[in-house]
Amino acid sequence: MSFAATAEAVHVRAPGKINVYLGVGDRHEDGYHALATVFQAVSLYEDVIARHADEFTLTVSGVDDTAAVPLDDRNLAMRAAKLLASATDHRGGVALEIRKSVPVAGGMGGGSADAAAALVACDALWGTGLSSARLHELAARLGADVPFALHGGTAVGTGRGDQLNPALARGRFDWVLVTSDRGLSTPAVYQRLDALRAEEGALADDPPLSLDVPIPVLQALRSGDPVLLAAALHNDLQPAALHERPDVADAIEEGIRAGALGGIVSGSGPTVALLCDGPESAQDVQSTLRLSGSDPLHVHGAVPGARIIP
Ligand code: ATP
């Protein structure tokens, strides 16, 4: 069919994400918590290149600590390729090359971006031509954040975060990301949240948490006004992430002192996302934070989801 089915290699780029709002409800029996979240895809990308091969193999570059990323079936990109092969009866394997830019275990969904990119890359390489609905279904089986990495943009996620509805977002939002050398385990942060809530008796005594995205968050996105969005940023996981990594609170405070409009822990952390009043302000914040020894990144959102790079 298309060039991709006969290509020797397919290169797909998929974005990392920030949760501009993350509401966490009760823990379900399957271990997942009910979520109401707003994702925004940002211009920090994972690149996945798929090449024809008899076996399934994987290489990863762009990470300081290579041991942090599994190269076997625990790797989400490998699982994505194998899931697609079994769903489409594809015979043979694929050689996957991942070039990482999204921090590992940083709360920005880097592994999910790799999985989404691997699905799109293998679908094109093998010419399996799945519909976007079918790709979404496979993505949701791989992990709650994978469907969003396929779609990108700005979207409301409910259920486990995998039921997506696009959110209207005008203009561009400029973020400065303060990354961390050490990652945080997502399950550990959720467990800490459960423990903190149990200590407070919140789940025992209070009525069920309302799990809607608050209207001011959606209005701020619609308006394209970073001042409004900064006031509406919220992450229920933040206290738990800060409990695990108290130093992260300093990064938020420093960012605001440096001129950011607001700051939030991204997902389960420890990456901090600082929202700025446009590109110039973001560059100023970035330069100021560099003086204190960190190496922050300036990114913007919203950007598209997993896409083939010609
Ligand atoms: P989450 O999506 O759970 O919030 P995260 O964004 O914090 O995760 P990731 O970088 O996606 O963090 O990876 C979390 C863990 O998953 C890693 O510590 C690693 O052990 C494992 N992992 C599996 N596949 C990948 C991958 N392709 N890239 C990075 N880590 C992966």
Side-chain angles (χ1 to χ4, degrees), residues 17 68-70 74-77 98 100 103-112 114 145 184 186 268-269:
K17 56 81 184 167
V69 181
R74 289 168 300 161
N75 193 294
L76 273 179
I98 303 179
K100 293 193 72 73
V104 177
M108 291 192 63
S112 301
D114 296 341
D145 291 348
L184 260 179
T186 304
S268 54

Side-chain angles (χ1 to χ4, degrees), residues 73-87:
D73 285 354
R74 289 168 300 161
N75 193 294
L76 273 179
M78 184 69 110
R79 285 176 39 206
K82 289 190 174 173
L83 180 64
L84 181 69
S86 86

Side-chain angles (χ1 to χ4, degrees), residues 156-219:
V156 173
T158 51
R160 298 182 305 151
D162 54 338
Q163 291 162 25
L164 295 179
N165 281 297
L168 211 58
R170 185 169 293 144
R172 115 180 198 151
F173 292 97
D174 285 85
W175 302 89
V176 170
L177 303 175
V178 182
T179 60
S180 182
D181 293 342
R182 280 182 303 135
L184 260 179
S185 145
T186 304
V189 173
Y190 275 97
Q191 276 167 24
R192 176 62 62 191
L193 177 72
D194 290 339
L196 290 174
R197 284 180 169 175
E199 273 170 31
E200 290 165 5
L203 291 183
D205 303 332
D206 290 351
L209 292 168
S210 157
L211 263 187
D212 292 327
V213 172
I215 305 264
V217 178
L218 301 174
Q219 280 173 337

Side-chain angles (χ1 to χ4, degrees), residues 178 238 242 245-258 265 270 272 274 289 292 294:
V178 182
Q238 187 158 312
L242 295 182
R245 289 284 301 278
D247 55 304
V248 169
D250 300 340
I252 299 178
E253 276 173 29
E254 274 178 43
I256 290 169
R257 271 204 305 275
V265 168
V272 165
L274 301 163
L289 293 180
S292 58
S294 64

Side-chain angles (χ1 to χ4, degrees), residues 24-276:
V24 182
D26 273 335
R27 187 171 176 277
H28 288 185
E29 273 172 13
D30 61 7
Y32 276 94
H33 290 75
L35 300 183
T37 189
V38 182
F39 299 104
Q40 179 156 96
V42 295
S43 57
L44 185 64
Y45 300 101
E46 300 282 273
D47 287 287
V48 173
I49 296 126
R51 296 183 177 85
H52 292 290
D54 294 335
E55 311 289 331
F56 289 85
T57 62
L58 176 64
T59 60
V60 175
S61 61
V63 279
D64 294 336
D65 178 10
T66 44
V69 181
L71 296 177
D72 52 18
D73 285 354
R74 289 168 300 161
N75 193 294
L76 273 179
M78 184 69 110
R79 285 176 39 206
K82 289 190 174 173
L83 180 64
L84 181 69
S86 86
T88 60
D89 289 327
H90 174 77
R91 297 209 190 125
V94 66
L96 292 176
E97 176 189 344
I98 303 179
R99 299 178 189 161
K100 293 193 72 73
S101 299
V102 176
V104 177
M108 291 192 63
S112 301
D114 296 341
L119 276 181
V120 172
C122 292
D123 182 54
L125 187 76
W126 297 337
T128 38
L130 293 193
S131 65
S132 46
R134 189 88 177 92
L135 281 176
H136 182 115
E137 191 192 310
L138 296 181
R141 279 162 62 183
L142 291 161
D145 291 348
V146 185
F148 177 72
L150 270 184
H151 291 266
T154 306
V156 173
T158 51
R160 298 182 305 151
D162 54 338
Q163 291 162 25
L164 295 179
N165 281 297
L168 211 58
R170 185 169 293 144
R172 115 180 198 151
F173 292 97
D174 285 85
W175 302 89
V176 170
L177 303 175
V178 182
T179 60
S180 182
D181 293 342
R182 280 182 303 135
L184 260 179
S185 145
T186 304
V189 173
Y190 275 97
Q191 276 167 24
R192 176 62 62 191
L193 177 72
D194 290 339
L196 290 174
R197 284 180 169 175
E199 273 170 31
E200 290 165 5
L203 291 183
D205 303 332
D206 290 351
L209 292 168
S210 157
L211 263 187
D212 292 327
V213 172
I215 305 264
V217 178
L218 301 174
Q219 280 173 337
L221 288 164
R222 238 188 341 253
S223 73
D225 183 343
V227 176
L228 292 182
L229 186 59
L233 295 174
H234 175 79
N235 181 358
D236 272 349
L237 283 180
Q238 187 158 312
L242 295 182
H243 195 280
E244 301 296 296
R245 289 284 301 278
D247 55 304
V248 169
D250 300 340
I252 299 178
E253 276 173 29
E254 274 178 43
I256 290 169
R257 271 204 305 275
L261 298 169
I264 196 168
V265 168
S266 177
S268 54
T271 305
V272 165
L274 301 163
L275 182 57
C276 299

